[in-house]
Amino acid sequence: MPTVISQSLDRRSFRHLLTHLPLWIAILGGVLFATGCAADEEDVVNVYSHRHYDTDEALFQRFTEETGVQVRVVTASADELIARLEREGAASPADVLITVDAGRLHRAKERGLLQPVESEVLEAAVPANLRDPEGFWFGLTSRARVIAYSVDRVNPEEELSTYEDLADPRWEGRVVARTSDNIYNVSHLASIIAAHGEEAAEEWVEGVVANFARPPQGNDTDQIRDVAAGIGDVALVNSYYVGRLLDAPDEASRELARQVGIFFPNQEDRGTHINVSGAGVTAHAPNREHAIALIEFLVGEEAQRAFAEANFEYPVREGIAWAPALAEWGEFQPDPLNLARLGELNNEAVQTFDRGGWR
């Protein structure tokens, strides 16, 4: 074969080949390097995650031990990760997006950043209302939006009932809350719009605003602190924030948590509002099968127990024991609304907050 090639080359062609030999070597080397990288990537799954818990890292390591697939994680806020996926487009190395709140997951879906998945494992493990109807995302854990109340100043049996009741004038000067742009508040209001419509939701917003003890501010932990400090008597918070304080290493935080009680609203009608942290396979996932396998692992019994025990989150999979603190609060009836509606009504919720004066 080399003889045939040499005979077909005149002197000019031969000199041309020699002149450009370094370029051809570089090109060939690049091809071989790219091929080698592709081979290496076969045992990798790249995760963009809004969650930043030690439990998650431990579970990723267990997944690697079981499958041999390395998990590479990039952590940032949900908005940053969504923006990054948009910038990267088809060149994105991400395989899985993990974030909190169904509204954010819906946003990623609407922007074309996720792809649908069909998995018997996921459909069997995750209840229908805790996953996208078209398979674009699946809940991994759930959390309840509860009323945290002062155990010294509020009698839950006589004073607490529904979210709607917090708009009653008798709560004037007693409610503390986060700002309206907080995604947990946006999704919660979306659930109220789904239940009652925009007009009734706006009236509720106006009523709660009239009952504020101070301007909206801080995170959920700050709401708990302000209830304990007597600034307000009740607050809307995610359940796991109280659990974390009860399990904190310092006695001051644990004492703080003991000064508030947990109440599950709307047990006589639609149930307590819930939300999820969840995951979806990215639209251009280079390691799609590994991505699906990782999400399936995270809804498995081992991972679901870990989420429940360490993070004070409710497992999405049935039959998994709750953390002791959650068990002490007791069982409750959750709102059965499909959480995809929280994302679909996101814009309406934002506008309703604005019209109602919740800043």
Side-chain angles (χ1 to χ4, degrees), residues 241-318:
Y241 282 91
V242 181
R244 289 180 189 172
L245 286 172
L246 287 170
D247 194 54
D250 60 296
E251 175 57 27
S253 294
R254 295 195 296 272
E255 177 57 27
L256 182 74
R258 288 193 286 266
Q259 295 180 52
V260 301
I262 293 298
F263 183 82
F264 296 99
N266 296 77
Q267 291 302 281
E268 301 302 320
D269 47 50
R270 71 179 185 278
T272 295
H273 169 62
I274 59 172
N275 208 325
V276 293
S277 62
V281 177
T282 59
H284 306 288
N287 304 289
R288 185 176 188 273
E289 295 306 314
H290 291 334
I292 296 172
L294 176 61
I295 299 174
E296 290 177 342
F297 173 81
L298 293 176
V299 300
E301 292 186 7
E302 177 183 358
Q304 290 290 292
R305 283 195 300 269
F307 285 139
E309 293 170 2
N311 294 345
F312 301 97
E313 298 174 279
Y314 292 100
V316 296
R317 187 186 188 102
E318 295 184 359

Side-chain angles (χ1 to χ4, degrees), residues 3 21 30 44 60 89 120 179 223 314 355:
T3 304
L21 185 59
V44 170
F60 293 153
E120 293 182 0
T179 57
Q223 313 314 309
Y314 292 100
R355 292 193 303 268

Side-chain angles (χ1 to χ4, degrees), residues 16-93:
H16 179 82
L17 177 61
L18 291 177
T19 301
H20 294 85
L21 185 59
L23 175 61
W24 289 110
I25 291 174
I27 292 173
L28 179 59
V31 171
L32 292 174
F33 178 76
T35 303
C37 287
D40 291 341
E41 294 298 319
E42 291 180 359
D43 294 323
V44 170
V45 59
N46 299 301
V47 177
Y48 283 8
S49 179
H50 182 190
R51 291 170 60 92
H52 45 79
Y53 307 129
D54 292 340
T55 306
D56 293 38
E57 291 296 328
L59 287 172
F60 293 153
Q61 182 58 42
R62 285 286 298 123
F63 176 75
T64 297
E65 293 171 359
E66 288 193 8
T67 65
V69 177
Q70 297 294 320
V71 182
R72 296 176 181 168
V73 184
V74 172
T75 57
S77 72
D79 291 340
E80 290 171 334
L81 294 173
I82 288 174
R84 178 168 178 168
L85 284 170
E86 288 182 312
R87 288 194 309 270
E88 293 171 339
S92 177

